[in-house]
Amino acid sequence: GEDVEQSLFLSVREGDSSVINCTYTDSSSTYLYWYKQEPGAGLQLLTYIFSNMDMKQDQRLTVLLNKKDKHLSLRIADTQTGDSAIYFCAESNYGGSQGNLIFGKGTKLSVKP
Amino acid sequence: DAMVIQNPRYQVTQFGKPVTLSCSQTLNHNVMYWYQQKSSQAPKLLFHYYDKDFNNEADTPDNFQSRRPNTSFCFLDIRSPGLGDAAMYLCATSRDRAAVNQPQHFGDGTRLSIL
């Protein structure tokens, strides 16, 4: 079956880089997403990567995909206190789950001043 | 401007008393989703509508129902809420069901408490 795994917690100092890791099991995954959830709020799409890419950069965010190892990471450069939130990795595939998202349990990022 | 709007943000109901949560969207998207998210857990898909076509997940309890009277609105009805149904309920939309470059857009959620 489909499964997405993430470490639950990450703590960094303001100004450092944060790297949040994710592994998935479905080799037919088409798109992989990163969502951010602030306390008491819904999920905000941060970025996504198509499975035929190995890197995508968007301002302070860099997504790396190792398709062979089914490993996805999100790097946040110059982490700010406003980046403190829960980050969810999610995958979908075109056919198997009808495009529905399979989420990991989320990584809680704490940024210390 | 909010594009997926959920009302209310916080809902309190009594054990066994029916409750309805509301979601509206201004994106004119074909697909609307309802997720349940319990504390420290991933969102879990309950069901989705592709236009008027209702798609229930296999493990969604019968206690949960949904209605989509038009493109813009979708409702989640919980017929007899139990204590285990206390959670954040998230509504999302996407232009099409397939994942091709059409990510899901989420509302801010309704936090449901059961007394």
Side-chain angles (χ1 to χ4, degrees):
Chain A
E2 302 156 332
D3 199 14
V4 178
E5 298 283 342
Q6 300 177 241
S7 53
L8 295 181
F9 301 99
L10 177 65
S11 180
V12 300
R13 291 208 175 274
E14 191 173 20
D16 287 351
S17 292
S18 308
V19 179
I20 303 171
N21 294 302
C22 171
T23 58
Y24 59 97
T25 56
D26 187 352
S27 58
S28 64
S29 291
T30 310
Y31 281 91
L32 295 132
Y33 301 84
W34 285 104
Y35 281 87
K36 176 183 180 182
Q37 186 176 36
E38 294 180 3
L43 275 67
Q44 174 195 352
L45 178 67
L46 286 178
T47 187
Y48 60 91
I49 190 167
F50 187 48
S51 59
N52 69 352
M53 299 167 66
D54 52 19
M55 187 181 97
K56 181 178 180 182
Q57 187 155 3
D58 184 2
Q59 298 182 340
R60 291 191 297 123
L61 305 178
T62 303
V63 179
L64 294 177
L65 175 61
N66 181 329
K67 197 174 179 184
K68 175 176 168 288
D69 295 338
K70 300 192 190 76
H71 182 265
L72 182 74
S73 68
L74 174 69
R75 179 177 181 268
I76 306 172
D78 186 25
T79 313
Q80 303 298 306
T81 54
D83 295 323
S84 293
I86 299 176
Y87 291 80
F88 289 93
C89 172
E91 61 94 10
S92 68
N93 66 69
Y94 189 91
S97 59
Q98 299 183 329
N100 291 337
L101 292 174
I102 307 298
F103 286 92
K105 288 188 176 180
T107 298
K108 184 173 183 178
L109 175 64
S110 298
V111 183
K112 298 184 175 158
Chain B
D1 291 333
M3 295 177 287
V4 182
I5 302 159
Q6 292 190 243
N7 284 306
R9 291 294 310 277
Y10 301 92
Q11 177 74 56
V12 181
T13 192
Q14 291 178 328
F15 181 94
K17 185 174 181 182
V19 65
T20 294
L21 309 183
S22 168
C23 178
S24 63
Q25 53 130 341
T26 59
L27 298 162
N28 205 32
H29 280 176
N30 287 321
V31 194
M32 295 187 78
Y33 307 81
W34 278 104
Y35 290 85
Q36 179 192 65
Q37 186 183 23
K38 295 189 176 179
S39 181
S40 303
Q41 293 189 20
K44 178 179 179 299
L45 182 65
L46 295 173
F47 25 59
H48 73 274
Y49 271 96
Y50 181 74
D51 195 13
K52 296 180 182 178
D53 181 27
F54 178 70
N55 297 270
N56 201 29
E57 293 299 297
D59 55 356
T60 298
D62 292 340
N63 200 23
F64 291 85
Q65 303 286 322
S66 186
R67 295 170 285 134
R68 190 178 185 187
N70 53 52
T71 301
S72 301
F73 284 87
C74 194
F75 300 99
L76 170 62
D77 300 309
I78 309 177
R79 290 192 297 191
S80 181
L83 296 178
D85 298 328
M88 173 79 92
Y89 289 87
L90 297 166
C91 174
T93 74
S94 63
R95 185 149 44 104
D96 202 340
R97 179 161 53 191
V100 182
N101 201 25
Q102 292 172 34
Q104 294 182 21
H105 300 264
F106 284 80
D108 282 339
T110 294
R111 182 165 295 283
L112 178 65
S113 300
I114 314 293
L115 299 180

